[in-house]
Amino acid sequence: MRFSVAQQKEIIEAGSGRFIGYIVDAEICENSGMITGFLVAEPKKILHIFQGEEVTRKIAIQDILTIGKDVILVKGVLS
């Protein structure tokens, strides 16, 4: 799968069904060249739309449960 395709999928927490955000970047191991995690941008709240700083969180590759047609399901993510 191309990275650009993964970026278009919604990231959903499997336990709660909560929308976490969209992939904005990947973290890659320098030694192996394998992806170790994704950086996910949290959805903007109405009052924070005009702030320039984007809040991101890391989703480790082992926390991904399944990649579907439209969504990526992940294990519980700490807030």
Side-chain angles (χ1 to χ4, degrees):
M1 172 186 307
R2 293 184 182 270
F3 183 67
S4 60
V5 173
Q7 286 182 301
Q8 296 172 1
K9 298 179 187 290
E10 294 180 350
I11 307 297
I12 305 292
E13 186 176 24
S16 66
R18 184 173 62 100
F19 172 67
I20 297 174
Y22 292 96
I23 296 172
V24 293
D25 204 356
E27 186 175 87
I28 300 172
C29 176
E30 291 178 17
N31 298 328
S32 67
M34 301 292 287
I35 294 175
T36 59
F38 291 113
L39 296 177
V40 176
E42 295 182 353
K44 294 210 180 237
K45 300 192 174 41
I46 293 175
L47 297 176
H48 298 268
I49 289 175
F50 298 108
Q51 292 181 343
E53 188 174 319
E54 185 174 45
V55 178
T56 60
R57 63 173 54 178
K58 180 182 173 190
I59 305 292
I61 201 77
Q62 62 265 22
D63 290 339
I64 294 176
L65 298 174
T66 188
I67 299 176
K69 182 179 177 185
D70 298 321
V71 299
I72 298 174
L73 293 177
V74 297
K75 291 182 196 175
V77 179
L78 299 175
S79 296

